[in-house]
Amino acid sequence: MTSLWLTCWLGCSGPTISDRVLSALPKAELQEATAFVDYIKVFPLTRWEEGAFKGREGQHLKYRLFAPLNSEEGKDYPMIVFLHDSQGSGLKNTRQLQNGNAAPASAWTLPRVQNDHPTWVLAPQCGPGRIWTGEREVEVPEGTPEPAPCIEPVPELIDHLLVTSEVDRRRVYLVGSAMGADGATELLAKYPQLFAATVLITHDPANKFRESVIGNRIEALAQEPLWQFHGSNVSDDTDARALVDRMRAAGGQNSVYWRYEGGMARVRTFREPALLDWVFSQTQKR
């Protein structure tokens, strides 16, 4: 049963979340968080259907798809779209579910989560040496060629699944971690009509591509529900929260920023009791 404190925090008319800065985890909680990740890492991958998609321009995109547990025939369910970090790229179509991507991808598939919120989880994968946006998340020596982006066929894949699977098109949610947060920001800026809410897990340094990607889309983007989590030991996180600040400056009231001192954002994000309620309460209004 939800505690009175949490009920008041979430609000009677739906989850309302405010900006927060959370201190580093004490030793006992740090051990719990580590155990949480270890538990997820041993989850069998057989529940994830392996797939490959070819876009209109011929781009190939591998993916994994988790179907809702205990689903009812003829009923539509929400879908989480997860974009992996740089470790998830490659030829093996499981890398986007492993290592640092284990918690962001598979936390949604936990039996206790699926019991309350049965949902699809889509995890597309960049090929070897490729990244989501075509612009690196870290600086490299001048003259280094940029890798080819792999973001283009993702909205096509989503549209394909909306037609071929029992997905509630009003409740498609976008989640991106590190490099995947870059890709999620670009997807949201270009296709806000696809997503009901977005969760970003970012890190330092800030991604400088956002200005060129967002451009004159900021007013439309500002209206989208977005919760950004940031984990860093760096005291100045001005750049990391720049997207939320810009959305608010453009009139948006639906963006939130949480910072975790001591890092571990990818783990701590998915242990937040309010996150599931916030995500699954959002519905696409367009």
Side-chain angles (χ1 to χ4, degrees):
M1 180 178 295
T2 305
S3 68
L4 177 61
W5 175 83
L6 183 56
T7 301
C8 293
W9 183 38
L10 293 177
C12 298
S13 60
T16 55
I17 312 298
S18 302
D19 286 10
R20 295 188 69 183
V21 176
L22 295 97
S23 59
L25 290 177
K27 183 176 181 180
E29 292 186 33
L30 182 61
Q31 291 174 337
E32 287 183 11
T34 302
F36 172 72
V37 175
D38 290 341
Y39 170 59
I40 286 180
K41 284 183 176 179
V42 300
F43 266 40
L45 298 179
T46 53
R47 283 287 308 181
W48 293 81
E49 177 187 348
E50 184 174 6
F53 179 77
K54 184 177 181 180
R56 287 188 294 268
E57 301 300 322
Q59 312 101 315
H60 291 269
L61 188 70
K62 292 182 179 180
Y63 66 89
R64 288 277 177 167
L65 183 65
F66 183 94
L69 296 180
N70 305 316
S71 59
E72 301 176 19
E73 187 175 352
K75 184 175 180 179
D76 291 343
Y77 292 92
M79 182 169 70
I80 302 292
V81 179
F82 170 66
L83 302 187
H84 61 75
D85 67 7
S86 56
Q87 288 185 306
S89 301
L91 292 172
K92 188 177 180 181
N93 191 4
T94 54
R95 288 175 61 91
Q96 72 270 43
L97 308 177
Q98 299 172 326
N99 301 312
N101 295 297
S106 294
W108 312 95
T109 73
L110 292 169
R112 61 177 174 79
V113 174
Q114 287 284 325
N115 286 339
D116 294 336
H117 304 284
T119 183
W120 300 86
V121 186
L122 170 65
Q125 182 189 36
C126 285
R130 303 186 71 185
I131 62 177
W132 291 115
T133 65
E135 297 191 38
R136 301 177 190 272
E137 59 178 332
V138 295
E139 293 186 5
V140 296
E142 187 175 349
T144 303
E146 294 290 355
C150 58
I151 200 73
E152 286 88 349
V154 173
E156 295 180 47
L157 173 57
I158 295 171
D159 286 339
H160 171 73
L161 293 174
L162 289 175
V163 173
T164 60
S165 302
E166 295 176 328
V167 177
D168 184 348
R169 63 177 57 250
R170 302 169 305 156
R171 301 179 67 206
V172 177
Y173 307 109
L174 182 60
V175 179
S177 177
M179 181 185 85
D182 297 355
T185 303
E186 179 167 328
L187 269 187
L188 182 62
K190 292 181 176 179
Y191 306 96
Q193 73 282 359
L194 276 179
F195 306 107
T198 300
V199 176
L200 303 179
I201 304 102
T202 60
H203 62 130
D204 284 325
N207 303 298
K208 299 178 179 179
F209 85 95
R210 285 178 171 167
E211 181 64 34
S212 61
V213 168
I214 294 171
N216 58 9
R217 300 184 177 98
I218 188 63
E219 290 187 4
L221 179 62
Q223 308 308 315
E224 301 305 311
L226 180 140
W227 194 346
Q228 178 170 324
F229 296 88
H230 175 70
S232 176
N233 293 317
V234 179
S235 59
D236 183 3
D237 60 353
T238 303
D239 288 341
R241 64 169 299 152
L243 177 61
V244 168
D245 289 341
R246 286 201 61 192
M247 291 172 70
R248 290 176 180 168
Q253 302 295 321
N254 300 321
S255 52
V256 183
Y257 181 83
W258 277 25
R259 174 186 165 189
Y260 294 115
E261 295 184 351
M264 292 193 71
R266 300 188 212 201
V267 180
R268 297 176 69 178
T269 294
F270 298 99
R271 288 167 53 83
E272 295 295 348
L275 179 64
L276 295 178
D277 291 324
W278 181 85
V279 168
F280 290 110
S281 69
Q282 308 296 333
T283 303
Q284 178 59 262
K285 304 297 192 298
R286 295 172 187 267

